Amino acid sequence: MAPAKSSGTLSAAIFSDPWEPDLVRGLGRLLQPETIAVIGGGTWCENVIRECRKGGFAGDLWAVHPRRREIGGCAAVSSLADLPSAPDVAFVGVNRHATVDIIRDLSRRGGGGAVCFASGFSEAIAELEDGSVLQEALVDAAGDMPILGPNCYGFINALDQATLWPDQHGLVGVDKGVAIISQSSNIALNLTMQARGLPIAYLMTVGNQAQTGLSAIGQALLADDRVTAVGLHIEGIDDLSRFEQFARKAHEAGKPIVALKVGKSDQARAATVTHTASLAGTQVGASALFNRLGIAQVDSLPTLLEALKLVHVAGRLSHAGVASLSCSGGEASLVADAGAGRGVVFPPLTELQKEGLRAALGPKVALANPLDYHTYVWGDVAAMSETFSAMVSDEIALGIVVLDFPRSDRCDLTEWLKVIEAIEIAANRTGRPMAVLSTLAETLPEKIAHDLIARNIVPLCGVEEAMEAIRAVSRSARPLSGTEVRVPVSSRVDKTLCETEAKEVLARFGLKTPVRRTADNGHDAAEEADRIGFPVVLKGTGFSHKSEVGAVRLNLQTAESVAEAAAVMPSKSFLVEKMVTGTLAELLVGVVKDPAHGFILTLAAGGVLTELLQDRVSLVLPVERHDVADALQGLRIAKVIAGYRGKPACDPELIIDAVMAVQDYVCSSNVDEVEINPLMCGENFAIAADALIRFGDA
């Protein structure tokens, strides 16, 4: 008997949507199978059969082995040709070479898809010379049939109890929930053991993503109306364009994406030429991309789970304004401190809120947000619901009640359950999302977390994780740009333009640069300085970071001082420029080609302190003028740009003009790095004092 399908099944939804790529449309049989074949006879294959039966899979379960008559208690046939029909999905648990042959046979017979469990493909290229070649052969063998992996555990569909999973797991059947896609099978396994109450509908592993990547899988899962949100554990994005389509589709469907991206290593930035490349490493690029695509980014697995619970119940938060209630001043302080460093806001109470709270609590409670409501109303459901309702105004994105439950094996929970009742009344009365927050994960039992979700109340575990989840989810609520991300392509040349060449190129796109001359020796440099007019700047050519090697001198007032400076510089040729005076702020404006995430624009405090200050904002190209204006406001140096302590302000429109000129150049070329550092900013100018352009993949 085949498993029952809901009215909004994955297959029907995918096939009704012509926007989806062909590969995505073909994932329906794989993800919601009615027939499963397990190919191979090892323990892993026996485990797949065991888990399918334990979960209650209602479809047909077949085993294939050339010599054995049964696998894990399931009658086995000797070959694929002996099966009653082509399976909707197969778990292929044989060695890597045999995997290729079996995938070819499955595809030719019309199989719906397969999980390739074996390792020893591209992930092992350092150990196995044929790993990459074998992976190409595997993809070729699959043809149009979708495959997961190789080198992956497979997946669990907890909605239809289809378990293509070779190990134990902790999932139970659900009617709806979140989908999680992980590039690590072991991390995925660990996530199944969570006891925080998160309902997981699908758990997917993708392994090497040889053919079907997380973006295609994500799009397919979005089409299942039982999926409320998608969580990602990402080591590397499979395809930038397809990933963007996935994110936009999620936004249209109102199904938030929460992502944990790993890869914060200095090694990834070791071969950079510019300050920009050092600042905009791969993790910065990922963050800029996620921000642009409305993806909530988190930094830990516990926070991933908390954020997924939040969006599963409450959806996207429009902002980070929170009302917090507890019956302890210590808990109120914990929440306030944890939120303060993460951009979570606790708006001051309005007079209307105070009036309602006074009526519910009396005169002895000091009113504030976060609120310590003491224990005067403890156990009184009516009074607690009035308190919670009064605290949660229309300006609040989320109401939080801090509540740690006692151990059920040693204590009586009756009075704590009354608090839940009061929260539910307040949520229904105000129409605002509400959450219960335990300060410890251990003090919110899984059974109670499930009950809270059933009441449409968010169960949050851990103050730090909860505040980080709120920050991430609220930041992802902004509207998406209508312009698609510019996808990089590999460079065919390898060269770096010197400062003079770079400035000449950028000037043609509207970037303002100083008057300048080149010279082959110190004597000629002094003569050129006379022609330009003093003061001047003298630079030795051939250095990416001139100040670090003593190849730049500022504010030279005479020809003699120019000649003297040239004599001690480690250079045989020079650039003489009119010195920019009246500078109020120095900025860095740079772009780095990040093959995985697009062209990353970095705006930062400039000059010699760029890397020391680490005052930066990164965006993904293309950007609009208002994007640049908002980014500039996010810098600490924004106060200097606006006029600090009575000093004049810089003209922000001229700064934006300079940034847009750099973008225009990048979008017209296949450059790998562009850097302006510093961009000298004053009341009526924004001039590039130094520039560098590099072509060629680092």
Side-chain angles (χ1 to χ4, degrees), residues 294-319:
I295 295 172
Q297 185 178 13
V298 297
D299 292 326
S300 70
L301 290 171
T303 306
L304 175 68
L305 295 171
E306 297 309 307
L308 285 172
K309 282 189 288 183
L310 181 56
V311 295
H312 170 73
V313 176
R316 289 188 177 92
L317 301 181
S318 57
H319 56 87

Side-chain angles (χ1 to χ4, degrees), residues 636-653:
R636 295 193 296 274
I637 201 173
K639 294 180 179 179
V640 177
I641 295 172
Y644 186 63
R645 292 193 172 183
K647 289 189 176 182
C650 302
D651 188 331
E653 293 302 316

Side-chain angles (χ1 to χ4, degrees), residues 174-189:
V174 296
D175 295 326
K176 68 175 183 177
V178 305
I180 296 178
I181 308 171
S182 173
Q183 287 183 250
S184 166
S185 295
N186 204 56
I187 284 177
L189 173 62

Side-chain angles (χ1 to χ4, degrees), residues 8-49:
T9 63
L10 180 62
S11 300
I14 289 175
F15 281 105
S16 66
D17 188 349
W19 184 87
E20 300 288 351
D22 291 340
L23 183 58
V24 176
R25 288 200 296 270
L27 285 169
R29 286 176 65 193
L30 182 151
L31 293 173
Q32 290 185 0
E34 296 182 1
T35 56
I36 296 175
V38 179
I39 303 171
T43 301
W44 299 109
C45 293
E46 293 177 349
N47 289 343
V48 173
I49 294 171

Side-chain angles (χ1 to χ4, degrees), residues 1-6 9 29 31-36 55-61 88 157 159-162 226:
M1 177 180 175
K5 303 291 186 181
S6 73
T9 63
R29 286 176 65 193
L31 293 173
Q32 290 185 0
E34 296 182 1
T35 56
I36 296 175
F57 176 64
D60 293 324
L61 188 58
D88 290 328
N157 173 349
L159 298 164
D160 305 304
Q161 293 76 50
R226 300 167 295 176

Side-chain angles (χ1 to χ4, degrees), residues 357-374:
L357 290 170
R358 286 281 180 228
L361 296 172
K364 296 183 180 180
V365 176
L367 303 182
N369 184 21
L371 175 67
D372 169 14
Y373 64 89
H374 296 257

Side-chain angles (χ1 to χ4, degrees), residues 357-409:
L357 290 170
R358 286 281 180 228
L361 296 172
K364 296 183 180 180
V365 176
L367 303 182
N369 184 21
L371 175 67
D372 169 14
Y373 64 89
H374 296 257
T375 55
Y376 298 119
V377 296
W378 184 256
D380 185 336
V381 173
M384 285 190 292
S385 64
E386 290 292 336
T387 300
F388 302 157
S389 298
M391 189 71 178
V392 183
S393 66
D394 291 341
E395 289 73 32
I396 297 298
L398 180 69
I400 295 176
V401 178
V402 182
L403 189 64
D404 289 87
F405 292 84
R407 291 176 57 132
S408 60
D409 59 339

Side-chain angles (χ1 to χ4, degrees), residues 314-330:
R316 289 188 177 92
L317 301 181
S318 57
H319 56 87
V322 169
S324 174
L325 304 101
S326 63
C327 57
S328 161

